[in-house]
Amino acid sequence: MTQTDASPTEASGRAAGATEILVVTSGKGGVGKTTSSASIAVGLARRGHKTAVIDFDVGLRNLDLIMGCERRVVYDFVNVIHGECTLKQALIKDKRFENLHVLAASQTRDKDALTKEGVEKVLKDLADEGFRYIVCDSPAGIEKGAFLAMYFADRAVVVVNPEVSSVRDSDRILGLLASKTRHAEQGGRVKEHLLLTRYSPQRVADGDMLSIADVQEILGLEVLGVIPESPGVLQSSNSGVPVILDEASQAGQAYEDAVARLLGESRPMRFTQVEKKGLFSKLFGG
């Protein structure tokens, strides 16, 4: 965040270049949080920012799979919190970007293994190591892992599918961000962004999906990005390559646009209109 993006409350006490904690959250599962966390972290690192991405979903570890480093996990987030290893031992350096590191979740521990004090220490230690951005990949809902993922956040990317149950559940998350975070306790606020995923302009036109304007009106947030429905997202996830690295994919391009906006750049919102068929397609039914 540039200083021009921040409110006076947000900017006070945070120098330019200071560590910024970003939570990627939602009320509903299966909306693309981990896919979004991975792509946002890669996008920030690719632009030269030292970035760490942490999986807060204890017991259901997935971030390492999408990042393609599952075979390299020796120690995890819980090990660090409980003093069973050092932070440096648990951080996995991405093979594509040396300024990007992954901190995996534990598959074998209970969610209660995370503590507020332990999470705070890890975040502070990452800041002391010079990380510019820390991306917290939150579990869905409002249980302990999700609360701890958002508690220390400076910014929140609220991931929403354009359907009623996802939007309703995300409205509850916005309430928690406004009342149950460190910034809220100190009289400030977490800067919130809306990321729409699995968006289909054709289904919106057919009346089967909420429009961007519908979601904005309900949640009252500006849209950071609109990620189109794309088979490339699943293919990338299965191959351990965050979709933002697939430059031929509309979803990958949309994530790149979202990261640019996150950093204060102005980008047009692409892939939000039904593609008009050309004359050739009309004549031959393509």
Side-chain angles (χ1 to χ4, degrees):
M1 179 196 295
T2 61
Q3 290 297 324
T4 54
D5 291 326
S7 69
T9 303
E10 291 170 315
S12 61
R14 202 175 336 140
T19 299
E20 201 163 16
I21 300 169
L22 175 74
V23 63
V24 180
T25 185
S26 76
K28 188 172 183 289
V31 298
K33 280 185 307 301
T34 301
T35 294
S36 298
S37 296
S39 282
I40 289 169
V42 166
L44 291 169
R46 186 161 62 177
R47 285 166 168 264
H49 301 290
K50 189 175 182 182
T51 303
V53 57
I54 306 175
D55 191 345
F56 274 77
D57 201 355
V58 175
L60 295 172
R61 189 170 84 200
N62 283 315
L63 178 65
D64 54 307
L65 291 170
I66 292 178
M67 293 295 295
C69 62
E70 70 278 6
R71 295 177 183 274
R72 299 167 58 207
V73 177
V74 178
Y75 296 108
D76 57 53
F77 191 16
V78 173
N79 291 141
V80 180
I81 285 176
H82 288 265
E84 296 159 357
C85 69
T86 66
L87 178 60
K88 286 186 177 181
Q89 285 176 312
L91 284 174
I92 302 168
K93 183 185 287 189
D94 187 85
K95 290 184 175 180
R96 295 158 293 221
F97 303 97
E98 65 175 23
N99 59 346
L100 175 61
H101 292 73
V102 179
L103 186 54
S106 171
Q107 281 185 305
T108 58
R109 302 290 185 97
D110 187 86
K111 295 183 188 298
D112 289 334
L114 294 179
T115 65
K116 185 188 286 188
E117 297 74 22
V119 171
E120 183 174 26
K121 185 178 186 307
V122 170
L123 295 174
K124 181 181 182 303
D125 289 348
L126 286 168
D128 290 344
E129 289 291 326
F131 282 90
R132 176 68 179 89
Y133 290 99
I134 303 170
V135 179
C136 301
D137 179 26
S138 173
I142 55 173
E143 46 82 19
K144 186 175 184 181
F147 166 73
L148 290 174
M150 74 170 64
Y151 180 77
F152 297 100
D154 300 308
R155 291 215 239 178
V157 174
V158 183
V159 183
V160 182
N161 288 164
E163 48 99 8
V164 173
S165 64
S166 177
V167 173
R168 182 185 62 189
D169 290 347
S170 293
D171 190 46
R172 190 172 184 190
I173 294 296
L174 293 177
L176 294 175
L177 288 167
S179 61
K180 300 294 185 182
T181 61
R182 183 169 60 178
H183 274 294
E185 291 174 358
Q186 296 173 348
R189 60 184 286 271
V190 175
K191 186 172 176 61
E192 300 155 343
H193 306 274
L194 177 63
L195 185 69
L196 272 175
T197 53
R198 297 179 180 164
Y199 192 80
S200 168
Q202 186 60 60
R203 291 180 63 194
V204 172
D206 293 340
D208 298 330
M209 181 176 278
L210 296 175
S211 70
I212 298 170
D214 291 334
V215 179
Q216 279 186 296
E217 184 177 350
I218 296 167
L219 296 180
L221 293 182
E222 287 299 310
V223 176
L224 176 71
V226 178
I227 313 301
E229 209 165 30
S230 168
V233 173
L234 181 60
Q235 292 164 8
S236 293
S237 296
N238 287 340
S239 60
V241 179
V243 71
I244 195 172
L245 294 174
D246 181 1
E247 295 179 0
S249 161
Q250 288 188 350
Q253 295 170 50
Y255 273 117
E256 175 59 30
D257 288 346
V259 171
R261 295 187 197 100
L262 198 63
L263 295 174
E265 295 180 26
S266 179
R267 291 276 180 102
M269 202 70 72
R270 298 188 282 171
F271 318 120
T272 61
Q273 304 295 324
V274 178
E275 291 186 13
K276 295 181 179 179
K277 292 183 178 181
L279 178 61
F280 186 87
S281 295
K282 290 178 180 176
L283 287 173
F284 293 96

